Amino acid sequence: MTKNYLDVATEIALEAGKILREEFDRPANITYKGEADLVTQADKRSERCIVERLTKYFPDHGIVAEEGTGHDSASEFRWFVDPLDGTTNFAHGYPCFSVSMGLAQRDTLIAGVVYNPYYNELFCGARGQGATLNGKPLQVSKIDKLAASLLCTGFPAHKRVASPNIHYYWDFTLRSHGVRRDGSAALDLAGVAAGRFDVFWEFGLNKWDVAAGILLIEEAGGKVTDFDGKPYQLGGPMILASNGLVHEETRQMAYEISQRDPSAPLQR
Ligand code: IPD
Ligand code: CA
Ligand code: CA
C-alpha cells in the first residue's frame, strides 16, 4: 500500500518541480509574509498543483500545506507539503530549492519525497522499504567524529533576532569540517540521508519542512531526535538529525553551548 502512496507523491512532486523550473526562468514576483519572509508566484502555483492532485487521488486525506490551501480531515492519513522549500534562494536565482511532500499515518511517517528540479535530484523513501536518490539506494555517512564531520543548519526568516542559532553555528563551525547554510531544510535533510552531510540541526522548523526528510534519513540508517535525545516530535522546537554515529557527540556539544552562553538557551 505504502508503495502506491510513494508513487503518487513522486508523480506529483515531479509535476510541481516542472512548475518551479518554469517559474525560475522568469523574473521573480515577490511578496512578503514578514520582514525577510518571501513568497512568490511559484510557491502558490506549485501548492495549487500539489493540493489539487493529492485531493483527486486521496479525497479523504488531510493536507497541511505551507501556503494555507490544504484541508484537514478525520482521516488517519495526513500529507505535509512544502511546495517550494528555499523560496529566498529561488527568488535570488540561487538554484537550491525543492518540493517536499511527507505522508504520516497517525503519528508515523510512512512516505516522503524531496525533489530538486534544478539538478533533477529525486529523493524518495517509504517506511520499511529504504530511501533512494534517482533510483539508487541511499545510506548515511560512516563518519564517527564531530571534528571530521560536515554539518548543515538554517536560520528562520521570521523573528530572526529571537533565534539562538548563531551561537551554535559559531561553535560547530570551529569544531567540525564546517557548517553549510544552504537555505532548504528539506534538501539539508535529504543531504544527510545521502551521506553528503553528517549532521543537520535547526530551531523552529515547521512540519512541512521536515516530514519527508526525516523519513528519508530514518530509511537511510540515520537518527532524528531533539537536543535532549528524545524522539523528534513533528513541529517540535528543534531538530537534530545525523548519521547516528556522531549524534551523541553533537548533542553533548549543543548542551555545552546552551550552558555556556545564556543567550543560546535550548528552547524547551
Ligand atoms: C525555509 C528553508 C530554510 C530554513 C527556514 C525555512 P521556506 O523554508 O527551509 O532552509 O532555514 O527556516 O523557513 O520558507 O523557503 O519554505
Ligand atoms: Ca520550508
Ligand atoms: Ca516553502
Side-chain angles (χ1 to χ4, degrees):
M1 246 350 239
T2 302
K3 188 81 174 78
N4 291 338
Y5 296 133
L6 184 58
D7 287 348
V8 169
T10 301
E11 180 189 308
I12 298 175
L14 290 173
E15 202 172 316
K18 216 185 278 171
I19 293 174
L20 297 187
R21 198 59 197 81
E22 212 176 280
E23 291 283 342
F24 192 61
D25 293 331
R26 294 187 188 154
N29 175 4
I30 304 170
T31 49
Y32 288 84
K33 294 195 266 191
E35 188 198 356
D37 201 357
L38 283 55
V39 63
T40 67
Q41 177 68 14
D43 300 69
K44 294 176 191 160
R45 268 191 74 196
S46 173
E47 183 161 311
R48 201 177 316 130
C49 163
I50 296 169
V51 171
E52 265 175 30
R53 307 275 275 115
L54 275 180
T55 308
K56 211 175 257 175
Y57 273 106
F58 309 115
D60 59 320
H61 286 191
I63 303 175
V64 180
E66 179 172 13
E67 306 310 329
T69 64
H71 45 80
D72 213 356
S73 95
S75 162
E76 59 181 2
F77 293 98
R78 184 156 291 113
W79 293 87
F80 296 99
V81 174
D82 195 334
L84 168 47
D85 187 49
T87 299
T88 305
N89 288 344
F90 184 94
H92 287 267
Y94 179 60
C96 179
F97 54 87
S98 59
V99 176
S100 179
M101 298 170 61
L103 174 63
Q105 182 174 17
R106 291 185 287 275
D107 290 334
T108 307
L109 292 165
I110 59 168
V113 176
V114 175
Y115 179 49
N116 178 341
Y118 191 85
Y119 292 112
N120 200 22
E121 288 198 320
L122 177 70
F123 301 86
C124 292
R127 176 77 52 202
Q129 294 174 33
T132 57
L133 165 53
N134 292 347
K136 293 204 184 111
L138 286 183
Q139 222 186 350
V140 293
S141 73
K142 295 194 164 42
I143 301 224
D144 63 359
K145 283 186 182 52
L146 184 59
S149 295
L150 185 63
L151 286 64
C152 60
T153 188
F155 293 82
H158 55 98
K159 294 192 190 157
R160 290 184 291 176
V161 286
S163 172
N165 203 21
I166 198 71
H167 302 279
Y168 295 84
Y169 188 82
W170 183 76
D171 237 283
F172 279 126
T173 297
L174 298 180
R175 290 161 192 274
S176 66
H177 278 181
V179 179
R180 299 291 174 261
R181 193 282 191 246
D182 243 0
S184 165
L187 284 177
D188 292 341
L189 289 161
V192 173
R196 295 171 178 174
F197 297 124
D198 309 299
V199 174
F200 169 75
W201 86 92
E202 190 164 340
F203 296 89
L205 286 172
N206 290 296
K207 298 178 185 189
W208 49 75
D209 296 311
V210 298
I214 290 171
L215 187 280
L216 295 173
I217 292 176
E218 289 177 348
E219 285 299 314
K223 189 167 179 176
V224 184
T225 69
D226 61 17
F227 270 176
D228 285 330
K230 298 203 187 89
Y232 172 75
Q233 302 294 326
L234 211 51
M238 92 275 293
I239 183 169
L240 175 62
S242 80
N243 65 5
L245 301 173
V246 290
H247 207 86
E248 199 45 38
E249 192 186 350
T250 308
R251 213 174 67 69
Q252 276 304 323
M253 182 61 56
Y255 179 72
E256 281 171 34
I257 298 164
S258 75
Q259 293 299 295
R260 199 184 50 232
D261 193 327
S263 56
L266 286 177
Q267 298 168 339
R268 296 203 163 92

